[in-house]
Amino acid sequence: MEENIVLNVNGIKLSISRNITLLEALRSNGILISASCGGRGLCGLCRVKILKGNISQPTLRERELLGELIEKGWRLACQTRVLGETWISIPRIRGGIVGERIRRSINVNPSVILLPLGRVSRSGPSVIDNVFNVLRKNGLNPKSCSMGFRRIIPSIVAKGERVNLVYDLEEEMVLGVSERGIYGVAVDLGTTTVVSSLIDLSSGSIIASSFRYNYQIRYGDNLISRIEYATRRNGVSELKKAAVKTINDNISELISSSDVCADDIYSIAIAGNTVMTALVLGISPATLGTYPFEPPFLGEIRVNTGSLGLIGNSEAIVYTLPVIGGFVGGDVAGDILASGLLEHNRAMLIDIGTNGEVVVKYNDEIVATSVPAGPAFEGVGLKHGMMAVEGAIESFSLSDDRYRVIGNTDPKGICGTGYVDILAELVRHGLLERNGRLREGKGVRRRESILEFVVASSDSSDIVVTQLDIRKLQLVISAFKTAYYFLLEQLGIKPSDLEKVYVAGSFGFRINPDNAVEIGLLPRVEKENIVFIGNGSLAGAEIYLVSMSEREKIRRICRRIRVLNMPERKEFQKLFIKMSRLEPLSA
Amino acid sequence: MNREEILERIRRLMVEIRIDEVKEAVDEALRMGIKPLDIIDNALTPAIREIGDLFEKGEYFLPELIISADLFKEIMDEKLKPLLTAEGSAREALGRVVIGTVKGDLHDIGKNIVATMLEIAGFEVYDLGVDVAPEEFVRKAKEVNADIVAMSALLTTTMIEMKNVIELLKREGLRDKVKVIVGGAPVTEEFARQIGADAYAEDAVKAVEVCKKLVGEKTGN
């Protein structure tokens, strides 16, 4: 029998096997930390702090890379084996960065409401009839009630107590009674991260948010590998379990931090791309793995918490935001809800992520496409790339030779927003040609025959962007640029016709708009017309919970959106290559 | 200008992809009486190899690779091949390659580059395009008596199709007649071995090398 021990990470208890490395332990629990060398003890990025516990002795590599830091408790996760219960802290993912979001103001009219009925009279043929009569007198048209309600209501009426009824206006159904309040949970179910928030349904206000990596990561770090895993024996059910557990751990954290009772959660809205949505429902996304990439279903799905295994009142309804078509799913429906896209005649929405999407609206027509961009802007596969966590260079300017590091520490690497700034600045100052080739000159040098630009110098090591990094970033930029060019062309409009460009995605929240336009990542419009909405999927799921009218509107809109696949066009290759130039799309 | 100088000039202009000037220099060389094969072997082919190196280092990108390949083909088709045919000194193809992106997969940029590079290297190439069913690979391989079947896949969900093609080649009794090479972003050496392919190549430059080796093995050279 394998012996399990407890690892406490930032206060969260994990059960792990004895004698595995911290890096393996964290990864198998869905916690991703940077380790660009693949866990060989070379990059020093997987630094964690040991608070107390029983661990292996420092290795030679750790002594070399950490030096005196070892005495202060710092170790490399990839080199440290856990021998007994241990408490560690990992450099904090910056305060809720993945949850940062803004949303437009909306009418709060949730479908789940709390009705104080007072004491129910006992004049009718049954308790349920009596309750329904009161509701009808209030102008409602109840059609059914939950089993939970049938069980609880007779004793309340018998005692002559006041009844606070939980009623779903859309379902025209009595869900239960509540003495405390009614709550909802909004979920942004991302391929990599899952962010959830707790909403007070009576006021529409956000009480708390929580974040964790998707536990599905152990089955593959990208969508296609998840689809592939889903086609294996029991694959779908394992992936579903992992998604449900991730959401449940978020919910547990939300309710314990805010003193809300799980039974008072009456609705849950989940916004995810098509694959994530299918998987959390236990539906196979297999058809999305191969051409013609049709999704298993379109539109919204409604299901009980109980049947999914989610925490909440067993009568609560779980909504998955509408799947629009292809890979374009409820995450985009959320973005559309959170942004003001629908309020304009000509506007664009870009969700910048590993799996990106672009939506363009022109009068009554809305078209969308997905962008398999890859994780380069999350730092993956780049020499000094890293996520937007402590130690990452997040902005850069060449004119005053300045960079800013998250957490104001020494730079450990570069995150997506940093790369956008670096590319734009190098282009502006003539060190990088528009075709993406570095020019030897100030700050640009050759190492092992590869050109590279030195972003930051220190005694131990330099932080650089290599010519090969630039090519990888160029492919991502080209993917987005091709996508929005293609959609604009389909509708016969130019970038300059756009009234607004909404940019969603946690990475998108902090991009410098001038720099993103300079290299073509965003179309050229007036700076004030570029609006960053952050995590639009989460904001959209929140709106879905608190506004019945918005919910109805987005269901209607999603049926009208045409999803177009780019690579089916013959001239795609030519276009893609043309778009790889680091310049704004010409108007 | 002597022979060395003009060949060097063609090579340099080709690497810099100065389209009109390369063509003029090739005309000039022919006027000087330099043999087409000499131009191909000692100016154009080294240039293409150098462009491949620059691509590997990231200094050249997809546009350079594609434009230079097209330019090479244009010079061959318009200027050199007609002369070679007339002289009767046309070279026999290195081998016949049937190439395509597997079923369920529409990615073709990488595959197209490999196809062109193979052609430049002297292979006879039959490009079946994208979303190619196993039956099509096998039918074409039979029809043209192919030496090599080359397959590309960009998705982990579609790369398994490569195995299906290999299985079908076996069932049709063709497996020992053709060599199979595979490539594409998610494909690895390990995967190639697992599915019973003969070789794997990580990029277009390697693919040409590997294909040359494969036909060598076939003919026992």
Side-chain angles (χ1 to χ4, degrees), chain A residues 224 289 291 446 467 471 573 577, chain B residues 58-59 66 104 112 156-157:
Chain A
I224 297 296
Y291 176 77
R446 220 175 253 282
Q467 180 68 71
R471 296 309 186 183
Q573 169 177 335
I577 283 164
Chain B
E59 286 175 48
I66 288 166
N112 291 350
T156 45
T157 43

Side-chain angles (χ1 to χ4, degrees), chain A residues 39-58:
Chain A
R40 290 193 293 269
L42 300 173
C43 69
L45 291 177
C46 64
R47 225 179 257 194
V48 298
K49 193 161 192 174
I50 311 292
L51 304 175
K52 58 177 176 173
N54 185 0
I55 49 169
S56 58
Q57 289 300 312

Side-chain angles (χ1 to χ4, degrees), chain A residues 326-380:
Chain A
F327 284 91
V328 183
D331 49 350
V332 177
D335 286 338
I336 294 173
L337 267 178
S339 71
L341 184 79
L342 300 175
E343 293 158 16
H344 305 279
N345 289 325
R346 296 177 302 277
M348 181 188 285
L349 169 80
I350 301 186
D351 189 326
I352 301 180
T354 308
N355 305 286
E357 288 96 4
V358 182
V359 184
V360 180
K361 177 180 186 290
Y362 178 35
N363 292 336
D364 288 338
E365 235 190 315
I366 308 175
V367 291
T369 193
S370 55
V371 186
F377 272 118
E378 263 122 88
V380 179

Side-chain angles (χ1 to χ4, degrees), chain A residues 109-419:
Chain A
N109 54 355
S111 72
V112 179
I113 55 171
L114 193 60
L115 288 172
L117 293 190
R119 291 183 184 84
V120 175
S121 79
R122 300 176 58 177
S123 52
S126 79
V127 176
I128 297 291
D129 287 290
N130 292 340
V131 171
F132 277 26
N133 279 334
V134 182
L135 290 172
R136 284 191 195 104
K137 271 183 210 144
N138 280 290
L140 298 170
N141 183 25
K143 296 218 172 82
S144 62
C145 63
S146 74
M147 198 58 210
F149 178 73
R150 287 183 198 277
R151 292 194 181 112
I152 198 164
I153 190 69
S155 61
I156 297 173
V157 172
K159 284 186 211 151
E161 288 170 355
R162 292 172 181 278
V163 178
N164 285 316
L165 208 69
V166 182
Y167 186 77
D168 189 323
L169 292 166
E170 201 173 80
E171 304 282 327
E172 300 188 307
M173 177 179 179
V174 181
L175 296 178
V177 293
S178 173
E179 295 308 314
R180 296 161 295 258
I182 49 170
Y183 301 90
V185 173
V187 181
D188 159 35
L189 180 61
T191 315
T192 311
T193 56
V194 181
V195 197
S196 309
S197 61
L198 184 66
I199 309 290
D200 183 336
L201 289 177
S202 42
S203 65
S205 59
I206 301 164
I207 299 169
S209 306
S210 67
F211 150 86
R212 57 188 17 77
Y213 287 107
N214 191 332
Y215 296 150
Q216 289 180 344
I217 285 172
R218 78 180 75 167
Y219 305 108
D221 61 2
N222 63 68
L223 270 190
I224 297 296
S225 59
R226 304 274 170 86
I227 298 173
E228 196 259 324
Y229 194 87
T231 60
R232 299 188 196 177
R233 222 183 109 113
N234 295 328
V236 173
S237 89
E238 279 178 50
L239 288 162
K240 171 185 181 277
K241 255 190 246 158
V244 167
K245 176 142 181 21
T246 317
I247 298 173
N248 276 345
D249 285 358
N250 272 355
I251 298 178
S252 300
E253 201 178 306
L254 290 172
I255 58 183
S256 64
S257 70
S258 54
D259 233 6
V260 163
C261 184
D263 268 345
D264 292 333
I265 294 173
Y266 277 97
S267 59
I268 297 174
I270 300 174
N273 61 51
T274 311
V275 178
M276 286 301 115
T277 304
L279 286 175
V280 75
L281 294 168
I283 297 170
S284 171
T287 51
L288 284 161
T290 55
Y291 176 77
F293 310 109
E294 77 277 28
F297 59 89
L298 290 180
E300 174 203 76
I301 301 271
R302 262 177 271 188
V303 59
N304 275 91
T305 33
S307 71
L308 280 193
L310 285 176
I311 295 174
N313 188 297
S314 59
E315 307 296 343
I317 300 166
V318 182
Y319 303 87
T320 57
L321 270 66
V323 167
I324 298 171
F327 284 91
V328 183
D331 49 350
V332 177
D335 286 338
I336 294 173
L337 267 178
S339 71
L341 184 79
L342 300 175
E343 293 158 16
H344 305 279
N345 289 325
R346 296 177 302 277
M348 181 188 285
L349 169 80
I350 301 186
D351 189 326
I352 301 180
T354 308
N355 305 286
E357 288 96 4
V358 182
V359 184
V360 180
K361 177 180 186 290
Y362 178 35
N363 292 336
D364 288 338
E365 235 190 315
I366 308 175
V367 291
T369 193
S370 55
V371 186
F377 272 118
E378 263 122 88
V380 179
L382 307 182
K383 181 139 187 203
H384 287 139
M386 62 185 287
M387 298 217 305
V389 295
E390 197 176 284
I393 293 177
E394 62 168 347
S395 75
F396 175 82
S397 155
L398 196 61
S399 39
D400 42 6
D401 205 13
R402 209 159 38 98
Y403 57 80
R404 199 170 63 232
V405 180
I406 298 175
N408 293 317
T409 63
D410 285 339
K412 283 201 284 182
I414 307 166
C415 67
T417 53
Y419 281 112

Side-chain angles (χ1 to χ4, degrees), chain B residues 2-73:
Chain B
N2 61 26
R3 173 185 164 272
E4 276 73 36
E5 281 166 356
I6 187 74
L7 289 181
E8 168 56 22
R9 184 173 154 74
I10 294 171
R11 191 199 58 79
R12 189 171 47 78
L13 290 171
M14 184 74 199
V15 171
E16 289 169 12
I17 319 178
R18 284 151 71 174
I19 298 172
D20 295 331
E21 287 164 88
V22 190
K23 290 183 186 168
E24 282 164 23
V26 170
D27 289 338
E28 171 70 21
L30 291 171
R31 272 199 300 276
M32 287 164 62
I34 296 172
K35 294 275 182 226
L37 274 182
D38 201 8
I39 298 175
I40 297 169
D41 291 346
N42 298 310
L44 294 177
T45 308
I48 289 291
R49 209 175 296 135
E50 208 174 320
I51 289 169
D53 288 345
L54 285 167
F55 181 75
E56 308 248 288
K57 287 193 272 182
E59 286 175 48
Y60 272 9
F61 200 37
L62 297 171
E64 289 86 358
L65 209 57
I66 288 166
I67 296 167
S68 61
D70 287 348
L71 177 59
F72 182 96
K73 272 178 77 178

